[in-house]
Coordinates of all heavy atoms in Angstrom, one line a residue:
M1 N -6.2 15.9 -2.4 CA -6.9 14.9 -3.2 C -8.3 15.4 -3.5 O -8.9 16.2 -2.8 CB -7.0 13.6 -2.4 CG -5.8 12.9 -2.3 SD -6.1 11.2 -1.6 CE -4.4 10.8 -1.2
T2 N -8.8 14.9 -4.6 CA -10.2 15.3 -5.0 C -11.2 14.4 -4.3 O -10.9 13.6 -3.5 CB -10.4 15.1 -6.5 OG1 -10.3 13.7 -6.8 CG2 -9.3 15.9 -7.3
E3 N -12.5 14.6 -4.7 CA -13.5 13.8 -4.0 C -13.7 12.4 -4.7 O -14.6 11.7 -4.3 CB -14.8 14.6 -4.1 CG -14.8 15.7 -3.1 CD -14.6 15.3 -1.6 OE1 -15.3 14.3 -1.2 OE2 -13.7 15.9 -1.0
N4 N -13.0 12.1 -5.7 CA -13.1 10.8 -6.4 C -12.8 9.7 -5.3 O -11.9 9.8 -4.6 CB -12.1 10.6 -7.5 CG -12.4 11.6 -8.7 OD1 -13.5 12.0 -8.8 ND2 -11.4 11.8 -9.5
R5 N -13.6 8.7 -5.3 CA -13.4 7.6 -4.4 C -13.3 6.3 -5.2 O -14.1 6.0 -6.0 CB -14.6 7.5 -3.4 CG -14.7 8.7 -2.5 CD -15.1 8.4 -1.1 NE -15.2 9.6 -0.3 CZ -14.2 10.1 0.4 NH1 -13.1 9.4 0.4 NH2 -14.4 11.1 1.1
C6 N -12.4 5.5 -4.8 CA -12.3 4.2 -5.4 C -11.9 3.2 -4.3 O -10.9 3.3 -3.7 CB -11.2 4.2 -6.5 SG -11.0 2.6 -7.2
R7 N -12.7 2.2 -4.2 CA -12.5 1.2 -3.1 C -11.6 0.1 -3.6 O -11.2 -0.8 -2.8 CB -13.8 0.6 -2.7 CG -14.7 1.7 -2.0 CD -14.9 1.4 -0.6 NE -15.6 2.4 0.1 CZ -15.4 3.0 1.2 NH1 -14.3 2.6 1.9 NH2 -16.1 3.9 1.7
K8 N -11.2 0.1 -4.9 CA -10.3 -1.0 -5.4 C -9.0 -0.4 -5.9 O -8.2 -1.2 -6.3 CB -11.0 -1.7 -6.5 CG -12.4 -2.4 -6.1 CD -12.2 -3.5 -5.1 CE -13.5 -4.1 -4.7 NZ -13.3 -5.0 -3.6
C9 N -8.9 0.9 -5.9 CA -7.7 1.5 -6.5 C -6.6 1.7 -5.5 O -6.8 2.1 -4.4 CB -8.0 2.8 -7.1 SG -9.2 2.7 -8.5
L10 N -5.4 1.5 -6.0 CA -4.2 2.0 -5.2 C -4.0 3.4 -5.5 O -4.5 4.0 -6.5 CB -3.0 1.1 -5.6 CG -3.2 -0.4 -5.4 CD1 -2.0 -1.1 -6.0 CD2 -3.3 -0.7 -3.9
L11 N -3.2 4.1 -4.7 CA -2.9 5.5 -4.9 C -2.3 5.8 -6.3 O -2.6 6.8 -7.0 CB -2.0 6.0 -3.8 CG -1.9 7.6 -3.7 CD1 -3.2 8.2 -3.3 CD2 -0.8 8.0 -2.8
K12 N -1.4 4.9 -6.7 CA -0.8 5.0 -8.0 C -1.7 5.1 -9.2 O -1.5 5.8 -10.1 CB 0.2 3.8 -8.2 CG 1.1 4.0 -9.4 CD 2.0 2.8 -9.5 CE 3.1 3.0 -10.5 NZ 4.1 1.9 -10.4
E13 N -2.9 4.4 -9.0 CA -3.9 4.4 -10.1 C -4.8 5.6 -9.9 O -5.2 6.2 -10.9 CB -4.6 3.1 -10.1 CG -3.8 1.9 -10.3 CD -4.3 0.7 -9.6 OE1 -5.2 0.8 -8.8 OE2 -3.7 -0.4 -9.9
A14 N -5.2 5.9 -8.7 CA -6.2 6.9 -8.4 C -5.7 8.3 -8.5 O -6.3 9.2 -9.1 CB -6.9 6.7 -7.1
F15 N -4.5 8.5 -8.0 CA -3.9 9.8 -7.9 C -2.4 9.7 -8.2 O -1.6 9.7 -7.3 CB -4.1 10.5 -6.6 CG -5.6 10.6 -6.2 CD1 -6.2 9.7 -5.4 CD2 -6.4 11.6 -6.8 CE1 -7.5 9.8 -5.1 CE2 -7.7 11.7 -6.5 CZ -8.3 10.8 -5.6
P16 N -2.0 9.5 -9.5 CA -0.6 9.3 -9.8 C 0.4 10.4 -9.3 O 1.5 10.1 -8.8 CB -0.5 9.3 -11.3 CG -1.9 9.1 -11.7 CD -2.8 9.5 -10.6
E17 N -0.1 11.6 -9.3 CA 0.8 12.7 -8.8 C 1.0 12.6 -7.3 O 2.1 12.8 -6.8 CB 0.2 14.1 -9.1 CG 0.2 14.4 -10.6 CD -0.4 15.7 -11.0 OE1 -0.8 16.5 -10.0 OE2 -0.6 16.0 -12.2
D18 N 0.0 12.2 -6.5 CA 0.1 12.0 -5.1 C 1.0 10.8 -4.8 O 1.8 10.8 -3.9 CB -1.2 11.8 -4.4 CG -2.0 13.1 -4.3 OD1 -1.4 14.2 -4.4 OD2 -3.2 13.1 -4.1
Y19 N 0.9 9.8 -5.7 CA 1.8 8.6 -5.5 C 3.2 9.0 -5.6 O 4.1 8.6 -4.8 CB 1.4 7.6 -6.5 CG 2.3 6.4 -6.5 CD1 2.1 5.3 -5.6 CD2 3.4 6.3 -7.4 CE1 3.0 4.2 -5.6 CE2 4.3 5.2 -7.3 CZ 4.1 4.2 -6.4 OH 4.9 3.2 -6.4
E20 N 3.5 9.8 -6.7 CA 4.9 10.2 -6.9 C 5.4 11.0 -5.7 O 6.5 10.9 -5.3 CB 5.0 11.0 -8.2 CG 4.9 10.2 -9.4 CD 5.9 9.0 -9.5 OE1 7.1 9.3 -9.1 OE2 5.6 7.9 -9.9
K21 N 4.5 11.9 -5.2 CA 4.9 12.8 -4.1 C 5.0 12.1 -2.8 O 6.0 12.4 -2.0 CB 3.8 13.9 -4.0 CG 4.2 15.0 -3.1 CD 3.1 16.1 -3.2 CE 3.3 17.2 -2.2 NZ 2.2 18.2 -2.3
Y22 N 4.1 11.2 -2.5 CA 4.1 10.7 -1.1 C 4.6 9.3 -1.0 O 5.0 8.8 0.1 CB 2.6 10.7 -0.6 CG 2.1 12.1 -0.5 CD1 1.0 12.5 -1.2 CD2 2.6 13.0 0.4 CE1 0.5 13.8 -1.1 CE2 2.1 14.3 0.5 CZ 1.0 14.7 -0.3 OH 0.5 15.9 -0.2
V23 N 4.6 8.5 -2.1 CA 5.0 7.1 -2.0 C 6.3 6.8 -2.7 O 7.3 6.3 -2.1 CB 3.9 6.2 -2.5 CG1 4.4 4.7 -2.5 CG2 2.6 6.4 -1.7
A24 N 6.4 7.2 -4.0 CA 7.6 6.8 -4.8 C 8.9 7.2 -4.2 O 9.9 6.4 -4.1 CB 7.4 7.3 -6.2
S25 N 8.9 8.4 -3.7 CA 10.2 8.9 -3.1 C 10.6 8.2 -1.8 O 11.7 7.9 -1.6 CB 10.1 10.4 -2.9 OG 9.1 10.7 -2.0
L26 N 9.6 7.8 -1.1 CA 9.8 7.1 0.2 C 10.2 5.6 -0.1 O 11.0 5.1 0.6 CB 8.6 7.1 1.1 CG 8.3 8.6 1.7 CD1 7.0 8.5 2.5 CD2 9.5 9.1 2.5
L27 N 9.6 5.0 -1.1 CA 10.0 3.6 -1.4 C 11.5 3.5 -1.7 O 12.1 2.6 -1.4 CB 9.2 3.2 -2.7 CG 7.7 2.9 -2.5 CD1 7.1 2.5 -3.8 CD2 7.5 1.9 -1.4
K28 N 12.0 4.6 -2.4 CA 13.5 4.5 -2.7 C 14.4 4.6 -1.5 O 15.5 4.2 -1.6 CB 13.8 5.7 -3.7 CG 13.1 5.6 -5.0 CD 13.4 6.9 -5.8 CE 12.6 6.8 -7.1 NZ 12.4 8.2 -7.7
R29 N 13.8 5.0 -0.4 CA 14.6 5.2 0.8 C 14.6 3.9 1.7 O 15.4 3.9 2.7 CB 14.1 6.4 1.7 CG 14.3 7.7 1.0 CD 14.0 8.8 1.9 NE 13.6 10.0 1.2 CZ 13.1 11.1 1.8 NH1 12.9 11.1 3.1 NH2 12.9 12.1 1.1
I30 N 13.8 3.0 1.4 CA 13.8 1.7 2.2 C 15.1 0.9 1.9 O 15.4 0.6 0.8 CB 12.6 0.9 1.9 CG1 11.3 1.7 2.1 CG2 12.5 -0.4 2.7 CD1 10.0 1.0 1.7
A31 N 15.7 0.6 3.0 CA 17.0 -0.2 2.8 C 16.6 -1.6 2.2 O 15.5 -2.2 2.5 CB 17.6 -0.4 4.2
P32 N 17.5 -2.1 1.3 CA 17.2 -3.4 0.7 C 16.8 -4.5 1.6 O 15.9 -5.3 1.3 CB 18.4 -3.7 -0.1 CG 19.1 -2.3 -0.3 CD 18.7 -1.5 0.9
Q33 N 17.5 -4.6 2.8 CA 17.2 -5.6 3.7 C 15.8 -5.5 4.4 O 15.3 -6.5 4.9 CB 18.3 -5.8 4.7 CG 18.4 -4.6 5.7 CD 19.3 -3.5 5.2 OE1 19.6 -3.4 4.0 NE2 19.8 -2.7 6.1
D34 N 15.3 -4.3 4.3 CA 14.0 -4.1 4.9 C 12.8 -4.1 3.9 O 11.6 -4.1 4.3 CB 13.9 -2.7 5.6 CG 14.9 -2.6 6.7 OD1 15.2 -3.6 7.4 OD2 15.4 -1.4 7.0
R35 N 13.2 -4.3 2.7 CA 12.2 -4.1 1.6 C 11.6 -5.5 1.3 O 12.3 -6.5 1.2 CB 12.9 -3.6 0.3 CG 12.0 -3.4 -0.9 CD 11.2 -2.1 -0.7 NE 10.2 -2.1 -1.7 CZ 10.2 -1.3 -2.8 NH1 11.2 -0.5 -3.0 NH2 9.2 -1.3 -3.7
T36 N 10.3 -5.5 1.1 CA 9.5 -6.7 0.7 C 10.0 -7.1 -0.7 O 10.1 -6.2 -1.6 CB 8.0 -6.5 0.7 OG1 7.7 -5.9 1.9 CG2 7.2 -7.7 0.4
D37 N 10.2 -8.4 -1.0 CA 10.5 -8.7 -2.4 C 9.3 -8.5 -3.3 O 8.2 -8.4 -2.8 CB 11.0 -10.2 -2.4 CG 9.9 -11.2 -2.2 OD1 9.0 -11.4 -3.0 OD2 9.9 -11.7 -1.1
D38 N 9.6 -8.3 -4.5 CA 8.6 -7.8 -5.5 C 7.4 -8.8 -5.6 O 6.2 -8.3 -5.6 CB 9.2 -7.6 -6.9 CG 8.2 -6.8 -7.7 OD1 7.8 -5.7 -7.3 OD2 7.8 -7.3 -8.8
E39 N 7.6 -10.1 -5.6 CA 6.5 -11.0 -5.7 C 5.6 -10.9 -4.5 O 4.4 -10.8 -4.6 CB 7.1 -12.4 -5.8 CG 5.9 -13.5 -6.0 CD 6.5 -14.9 -6.2 OE1 7.7 -15.0 -6.4 OE2 5.7 -15.8 -6.1
R40 N 6.2 -10.8 -3.3 CA 5.3 -10.7 -2.1 C 4.6 -9.3 -2.0 O 3.5 -9.2 -1.6 CB 6.2 -10.9 -0.8 CG 5.4 -10.9 0.5 CD 6.3 -11.3 1.6 NE 6.8 -12.6 1.5 CZ 6.5 -13.6 2.3 NH1 5.8 -13.4 3.3 NH2 7.0 -14.8 2.1
Y41 N 5.3 -8.3 -2.5 CA 4.8 -7.0 -2.5 C 3.5 -7.0 -3.4 O 2.5 -6.5 -3.0 CB 5.8 -6.0 -3.1 CG 5.4 -4.5 -3.1 CD1 5.1 -3.9 -1.9 CD2 5.4 -3.8 -4.3 CE1 4.7 -2.5 -2.0 CE2 5.0 -2.5 -4.4 CZ 4.7 -1.8 -3.2 OH 4.3 -0.5 -3.2
Q42 N 3.6 -7.5 -4.6 CA 2.5 -7.6 -5.5 C 1.3 -8.4 -4.9 O 0.2 -8.1 -5.1 CB 2.9 -8.1 -6.9 CG 3.9 -7.2 -7.6 CD 3.4 -5.7 -7.8 OE1 2.2 -5.5 -7.9 NE2 4.3 -4.8 -7.7
T43 N 1.7 -9.5 -4.3 CA 0.6 -10.3 -3.6 C -0.1 -9.6 -2.5 O -1.3 -9.6 -2.5 CB 1.3 -11.6 -3.0 OG1 1.9 -12.3 -4.1 CG2 0.3 -12.5 -2.3
R44 N 0.7 -8.8 -1.7 CA 0.0 -8.0 -0.7 C -0.9 -7.0 -1.3 O -2.0 -6.8 -0.8 CB 1.1 -7.3 0.2 CG 1.9 -8.2 1.1 CD 3.0 -7.5 1.8 NE 3.6 -8.3 2.8 CZ 4.5 -7.8 3.7 NH1 4.9 -6.6 3.6 NH2 5.0 -8.6 4.6
L45 N -0.4 -6.3 -2.3 CA -1.3 -5.3 -2.9 C -2.5 -5.8 -3.6 O -3.6 -5.2 -3.6 CB -0.4 -4.4 -3.9 CG 0.7 -3.6 -3.3 CD1 1.4 -2.8 -4.4 CD2 0.2 -2.7 -2.2
A46 N -2.4 -7.0 -4.1 CA -3.6 -7.7 -4.8 C -4.6 -8.0 -3.7 O -5.8 -7.8 -4.0 CB -3.1 -9.0 -5.5
V47 N -4.2 -8.4 -2.5 CA -5.1 -8.6 -1.4 C -5.8 -7.3 -1.0 O -7.0 -7.2 -0.8 CB -4.4 -9.2 -0.2 CG1 -5.4 -9.3 1.0 CG2 -3.9 -10.6 -0.6
C48 N -5.0 -6.2 -0.9 CA -5.5 -4.9 -0.5 C -6.6 -4.4 -1.6 O -7.6 -3.9 -1.2 CB -4.4 -3.9 -0.5 SG -3.3 -4.1 0.9
R49 N -6.3 -4.7 -2.8 CA -7.3 -4.2 -3.9 C -8.6 -4.9 -3.7 O -9.6 -4.4 -4.2 CB -6.7 -4.5 -5.2 CG -5.5 -3.6 -5.6 CD -4.9 -4.1 -6.9 NE -5.8 -3.9 -8.0 CZ -5.7 -3.0 -8.9 NH1 -4.7 -2.1 -8.9 NH2 -6.6 -2.9 -9.9
Q50 N -8.7 -6.0 -3.1 CA -10.0 -6.7 -2.9 C -10.6 -6.5 -1.6 O -11.6 -7.1 -1.2 CB -9.8 -8.2 -3.1 CG -9.2 -8.6 -4.5 CD -10.2 -8.2 -5.6 OE1 -11.4 -8.3 -5.5 NE2 -9.6 -7.6 -6.7
C51 N -9.9 -5.7 -0.8 CA -10.3 -5.5 0.6 C -11.3 -4.4 0.8 O -11.2 -3.3 0.2 CB -9.0 -5.3 1.4 SG -9.3 -5.0 3.2
D52 N -12.2 -4.6 1.7 CA -13.3 -3.6 2.0 C -12.7 -2.5 2.8 O -13.4 -1.5 3.0 CB -14.4 -4.3 2.8 CG -14.0 -4.9 4.1 OD1 -12.8 -4.9 4.4 OD2 -14.9 -5.4 4.8
Q53 N -11.5 -2.6 3.3 CA -10.9 -1.5 4.1 C -10.1 -0.5 3.2 O -9.7 0.6 3.7 CB -9.9 -2.1 5.1 CG -10.5 -2.9 6.2 CD -11.5 -2.1 7.1 OE1 -11.1 -1.0 7.5 NE2 -12.7 -2.7 7.3
L54 N -9.9 -0.8 1.9 CA -9.2 0.1 1.0 C -10.0 1.3 0.6 O -11.2 1.1 0.1 CB -8.7 -0.7 -0.2 CG -7.7 0.1 -1.1 CD1 -6.4 0.3 -0.4 CD2 -7.4 -0.7 -2.4
N55 N -9.4 2.4 0.7 CA -10.1 3.7 0.2 C -9.1 4.6 -0.4 O -8.3 5.2 0.3 CB -10.8 4.3 1.4 CG -11.7 5.5 1.0 OD1 -11.7 5.9 -0.2 ND2 -12.4 6.1 2.0
N56 N -9.1 4.7 -1.7 CA -8.2 5.6 -2.4 C -6.7 5.3 -2.0 O -5.9 6.2 -1.8 CB -8.5 7.1 -2.1 CG -9.7 7.5 -2.9 OD1 -10.0 7.0 -3.9 ND2 -10.3 8.6 -2.4
G57 N -6.4 4.0 -1.9 CA -5.0 3.7 -1.6 C -4.6 3.7 -0.2 O -3.5 3.3 0.2
T58 N -5.6 4.1 0.7 CA -5.4 4.1 2.1 C -6.1 3.0 2.8 O -7.3 2.7 2.5 CB -5.8 5.5 2.7 OG1 -5.1 6.5 2.1 CG2 -5.6 5.5 4.2
C59 N -5.4 2.3 3.7 CA -6.1 1.3 4.5 C -6.9 2.0 5.7 O -6.3 2.7 6.5 CB -5.0 0.3 5.1 SG -5.7 -0.9 6.3
M60 N -8.1 1.7 5.7 CA -9.0 2.3 6.8 C -8.8 1.6 8.1 O -9.2 2.1 9.2 CB -10.4 2.3 6.4 CG -10.7 3.1 5.1 SD -9.9 4.7 4.9 CE -10.9 5.6 6.1
G61 N -8.1 0.5 8.1 CA -7.8 -0.3 9.3 C -6.7 0.3 10.1 O -6.6 0.2 11.3
C62 N -5.7 0.8 9.4 CA -4.5 1.4 10.0 C -4.1 2.8 9.6 O -3.3 3.4 10.3 CB -3.3 0.4 9.8 SG -2.8 0.4 8.0
G63 N -4.8 3.3 8.6 CA -4.5 4.6 8.1 C -3.3 4.8 7.2 O -2.9 5.9 6.9
C64 N -2.6 3.7 6.9 CA -1.4 3.8 6.1 C -1.8 3.7 4.6 O -2.8 3.2 4.2 CB -0.5 2.5 6.3 SG 0.2 2.5 8.0
L65 N -0.9 4.3 3.8 CA -0.9 4.1 2.4 C -0.4 2.7 2.1 O 0.7 2.4 2.5 CB 0.0 5.1 1.6 CG -0.5 6.6 1.8 CD1 0.5 7.6 1.3 CD2 -1.8 6.8 0.9
V66 N -1.2 1.8 1.6 CA -0.9 0.4 1.5 C 0.4 0.2 0.6 O 1.1 -0.8 0.9 CB -2.0 -0.5 1.0 CG1 -3.2 -0.4 2.1 CG2 -2.5 -0.1 -0.4
E67 N 0.6 1.0 -0.4 CA 1.7 0.8 -1.3 C 3.0 1.0 -0.5 O 4.1 0.6 -0.9 CB 1.7 1.7 -2.5 CG 0.6 1.2 -3.5 CD -0.1 2.4 -4.2 OE1 -0.8 3.2 -3.5 OE2 0.0 2.5 -5.4
L68 N 2.9 1.8 0.6 CA 4.1 2.0 1.4 C 4.2 1.0 2.5 O 5.3 0.4 2.7 CB 4.0 3.4 2.0 CG 5.3 4.0 2.5 CD1 6.4 4.1 1.5 CD2 5.0 5.5 3.0
R69 N 3.1 0.7 3.2 CA 3.2 -0.3 4.2 C 3.6 -1.6 3.7 O 4.4 -2.3 4.3 CB 1.8 -0.4 4.9 CG 1.7 -1.2 6.1 CD 0.3 -1.3 6.7 NE 0.3 -2.1 7.9 CZ 0.4 -1.6 9.1 NH1 0.5 -0.3 9.3 NH2 0.3 -2.4 10.2
A70 N 3.0 -2.0 2.6 CA 3.3 -3.4 2.0 C 4.8 -3.5 1.6 O 5.3 -4.6 1.5 CB 2.4 -3.7 0.9
A71 N 5.5 -2.4 1.4 CA 6.8 -2.5 1.0 C 7.8 -2.8 2.1 O 9.0 -3.1 1.8 CB 7.2 -1.1 0.3
Y72 N 7.4 -2.7 3.3 CA 8.2 -3.1 4.5 C 8.1 -4.5 4.8 O 7.0 -5.0 5.2 CB 7.9 -2.2 5.7 CG 8.5 -0.8 5.5 CD1 7.7 0.2 5.0 CD2 9.7 -0.5 5.9 CE1 8.2 1.5 4.8 CE2 10.2 0.8 5.8 CZ 9.4 1.8 5.3 OH 9.9 3.1 5.1
R73 N 9.1 -5.3 4.7 CA 9.1 -6.7 4.9 C 8.4 -7.1 6.2 O 7.6 -8.0 6.3 CB 10.5 -7.3 4.8 CG 10.6 -8.7 4.8 CD 12.1 -9.2 4.5 NE 13.1 -8.6 5.3 CZ 13.4 -9.0 6.5 NH1 12.9 -10.2 7.0 NH2 14.4 -8.4 7.2
K74 N 8.7 -6.4 7.3 CA 8.3 -6.8 8.6 C 6.9 -6.2 9.0 O 6.3 -6.6 10.0 CB 9.3 -6.3 9.7 CG 10.6 -7.1 9.6 CD 11.5 -6.8 10.7 CE 12.7 -7.6 10.7 NZ 13.7 -7.3 11.7
E75 N 6.3 -5.4 8.1 CA 5.0 -4.9 8.3 C 4.0 -6.0 8.1 O 4.2 -7.0 7.5 CB 4.6 -3.7 7.4 CG 5.2 -2.4 7.9 CD 4.6 -1.9 9.3 OE1 3.7 -2.6 9.8 OE2 5.1 -0.9 9.8
H76 N 2.8 -5.8 8.6 CA 1.7 -6.8 8.4 C 0.4 -6.1 8.2 O 0.3 -4.9 8.6 CB 1.6 -7.7 9.7 CG 1.4 -7.0 10.9 ND1 0.1 -6.5 11.3 CD2 2.3 -6.6 11.9 CE1 0.3 -5.9 12.5 NE2 1.5 -5.9 12.9
C77 N -0.6 -6.8 7.7 CA -1.9 -6.2 7.6 C -2.6 -6.2 8.9 O -2.4 -7.1 9.7 CB -2.7 -7.2 6.6 SG -4.5 -6.9 6.7
P78 N -3.2 -5.1 9.3 CA -3.8 -5.0 10.7 C -4.9 -6.1 10.9 O -5.2 -6.4 12.1 CB -4.4 -3.6 10.7 CG -4.6 -3.2 9.3 CD -3.5 -3.9 8.5
F79 N -5.4 -6.7 9.8 CA -6.4 -7.7 10.0 C -5.9 -9.1 9.6 O -6.6 -10.0 9.4 CB -7.7 -7.4 9.2 CG -8.4 -6.2 9.7 CD1 -8.3 -5.0 9.0 CD2 -9.1 -6.2 10.9 CE1 -9.0 -3.8 9.5 CE2 -9.7 -5.1 11.4 CZ -9.7 -3.9 10.7
R80 N -4.5 -9.1 9.4 CA -3.9 -10.4 9.1 C -4.4 -11.0 7.7 O -4.6 -12.2 7.7 CB -4.0 -11.4 10.2 CG -3.5 -10.9 11.5 CD -2.0 -11.0 11.6 NE -1.5 -10.4 12.9 CZ -0.3 -10.2 13.2 NH1 0.7 -10.5 12.3 NH2 0.1 -9.7 14.3
R81 N -4.7 -10.1 6.8 CA -5.2 -10.6 5.5 C -4.1 -10.9 4.5 O -4.4 -11.6 3.5 CB -6.2 -9.6 5.0 CG -7.5 -9.6 5.8 CD -8.5 -8.5 5.4 NE -9.6 -8.5 6.2 CZ -10.6 -7.6 6.2 NH1 -10.5 -6.6 5.4 NH2 -11.6 -7.7 7.1
W82 N -2.9 -10.4 4.7 CA -1.8 -10.7 3.8 C -1.4 -12.2 4.0 O -1.3 -12.6 5.2 CB -0.7 -9.8 4.0 CG -0.9 -8.4 3.6 CD1 -1.9 -7.9 2.7 CD2 -0.1 -7.2 4.0 NE1 -1.8 -6.5 2.6 CE2 -0.7 -6.1 3.4 CE3 1.0 -7.1 4.8 CZ2 -0.2 -4.8 3.5 CZ3 1.5 -5.8 5.0 CH2 0.9 -4.7 4.3
P83 N -1.0 -12.9 3.0 CA -0.5 -14.2 3.2 C 0.9 -14.1 4.0 O 1.6 -13.1 3.8 CB -0.2 -14.8 1.8 CG -0.6 -13.7 0.9 CD -1.1 -12.5 1.6
Q84 N 1.2 -15.1 4.8 CA 2.5 -15.1 5.5 C 3.6 -15.4 4.6 O 3.5 -16.1 3.7 CB 2.4 -16.1 6.7 CG 1.4 -15.7 7.7 CD 1.6 -14.3 8.3 OE1 2.7 -14.0 8.8 NE2 0.6 -13.4 8.3
Ligands
LIG1 S1 -3.6 -3.7 4.8 FE1 -5.1 -5.4 5.2 S2 -6.9 -4.3 6.0 FE2 -5.6 -2.8 5.0 S3 -6.4 -2.6 2.9 FE3 -4.7 -4.1 2.9 S4 -5.7 -6.1 3.2 FE4 -7.2 -4.6 3.8

């Protein structure tokens, strides 16, 4: 990754090539029963985009790429900021 920093950007927006390499391929491997439905996924990511813990698509609270973490239905925000 470059030195560009964005506190509101997801990886897909900040570094599309890294998103394809590290996130897109893994999203396809999540079993449908484990996958967050799209509406909830977008809601979670909208919260992350407004969060002070977001740094270039990574959550500084847990170290995860939020676009990946949010895609797992049973995952949660480390600070309980996602709606239930
Ligand atoms: S997972 Fe939670 S703490 Fe991390 S960036 Fe998203 S809202 Fe913020």
Side-chain angles (χ1 to χ4, degrees):
M1 288 191 195
T2 68
E3 287 302 310
N4 293 339
R5 297 213 180 271
C6 177
R7 296 249 178 223
K8 301 294 179 193
C9 296
L10 301 173
L11 192 66
K12 189 175 191 175
E13 300 150 350
F15 301 102
E17 290 179 8
D18 285 343
Y19 175 85
E20 288 301 320
K21 186 174 178 182
Y22 298 115
V23 177
S25 59
L26 293 175
L27 289 178
K28 292 175 188 162
R29 295 189 200 170
I30 302 174
Q33 66 270 21
D34 296 331
R35 182 76 193 257
T36 309
D37 68 74
D38 194 54
E39 183 176 348
R40 186 173 295 244
Y41 183 61
Q42 295 305 327
T43 298
R44 288 177 171 185
L45 294 182
V47 173
C48 292
R49 289 172 64 107
Q50 299 301 314
C51 179
D52 59 358
Q53 296 294 317
L54 188 68
N55 187 355
N56 284 335
T58 298
C59 172
M60 303 312 287
C62 64
C64 292
L65 293 169
V66 296
E67 287 145 297
L68 199 53
R69 186 181 183 95
Y72 286 90
R73 188 170 54 85
K74 291 186 176 175
E75 280 293 356
H76 57 81
C77 164
F79 296 105
R80 306 280 179 190
R81 292 178 180 169
W82 292 341
Q84 295 302 309

